[in-house]
Amino acid sequence: MTPPEITAAEQTALDNALLDALNPLASAMRARATGLAEERMWDADPIEVTLSILTTWKVVDAEVKRLTAIAAKTAGSYGASYERLGAAWGITRQGARKKWPDAIGRSAPAEAEASLIELFGGSAELSQDPSSGGWRWAGKGADGTRDEADSTSYYPTKEEAAAHAGAFLKEHVADRRQAPADHRDTSS
C-alpha cells in the first residue's frame, strides 16, 4: 500500500503545527536541563541548542508511538482486523500484528468455534482465524459444487462471512429439472 499523500499546503500547515507544539516543550526541557531562565536558554552554543531540539523530538516520537498504539487498539476494539490495521499503516497484516500485538483482543473460545449453516440444500462451515481474528467460510452447494473464501483474505465479522457463504449456497442449488416428478394419485 502506498502511504497517504498530503498536499504541499497540508505539509506546511503540519510542520508549523508540530513546531508550535514542540517549542514550549523544548523550552521547558532545556530550562530544566540547563538551569537557565527560559528567556536566556537559547543564548548558547548552537550545537547544544539543536541537540536540545533533537531530544525534544525524541519525546514527541515516543508520545506519537503511544498515541498510535491507542488508535490501533481502539480500531481493533471496534472490529478492525490486523489486515486492515496494516493497510492503514502501509504494512502487512503480520507487520501490524508485530507492531501492535495487543490491538486486537482475543475472541472468547465460544465465539471462535466453527459453525455450520445450511441453506438452499447445501452447507457451509464458518471458522475464525486465530491470528487475524477474521472469518472464513468453506461450503458445498446442493448441486455438489465446493468453494471457499479467498485464502488470502478474511471477513471482519462472522455475519459477513455467513452472508458470502449464503450467497454461494443460493447460486448452487440442485437443478430443479432433475427433481423427481410430482406423483399425485389420479385414481378416483
Side-chain angles (χ1 to χ4, degrees):
M1 176 180 174
T2 35
E5 294 182 21
I6 61 175
T7 67
E10 292 167 334
Q11 182 69 53
T12 300
L14 177 61
D15 289 349
N16 288 336
L18 289 172
L19 290 170
D20 287 347
L22 182 77
N23 282 335
L25 179 60
S27 294
M29 288 177 63
R30 180 139 173 87
R32 275 194 308 277
T34 63
L36 296 172
E38 285 191 33
E39 61 272 0
R40 289 196 49 233
M41 62 177 211
W42 298 114
D43 299 333
D45 177 36
I47 293 173
E48 293 301 316
V49 171
T50 54
L51 288 174
S52 294
I53 298 296
L54 183 61
T55 301
T56 307
W57 278 120
K58 172 79 170 145
V59 170
V60 171
D61 182 54
E63 183 63 9
V64 167
K65 287 177 180 167
R66 184 183 75 81
L67 293 172
T68 300
I70 290 170
K73 190 164 186 140
T74 301
S77 74
Y78 283 113
S81 65
Y82 277 115
E83 182 177 1
R84 293 188 69 197
L85 291 173
W89 199 252
I91 58 178
T92 64
R93 173 183 58 82
Q94 293 87 350
R97 185 174 170 82
K98 184 176 179 181
K99 186 170 192 64
W100 306 297
D102 299 327
I104 296 179
R106 302 286 180 226
S107 299
E111 193 176 86
E113 290 179 12
S115 52
L116 186 68
I117 58 172
E118 295 179 350
L119 295 169
F120 307 105
S123 64
E125 183 178 46
L126 306 175
S127 59
Q128 189 175 29
D129 178 63
S131 63
S132 72
W135 286 87
R136 299 183 35 77
W137 65 269
K140 179 180 177 184
D143 65 356
T145 304
R146 293 183 182 273
D147 200 3
E148 62 184 60
D150 179 357
S151 64
T152 60
S153 61
Y154 295 91
Y155 299 102
T157 65
K158 184 177 185 178
E159 292 76 15
E160 189 173 341
H164 285 271
F168 163 76
L169 295 173
K170 184 176 180 182
E171 290 177 15
H172 295 281
V173 296
D175 188 353
R176 295 177 200 267
R177 290 174 291 166
Q178 295 176 3
D182 186 3
H183 296 293
R184 287 184 229 168
D185 186 2
T186 55
S187 61
S188 329

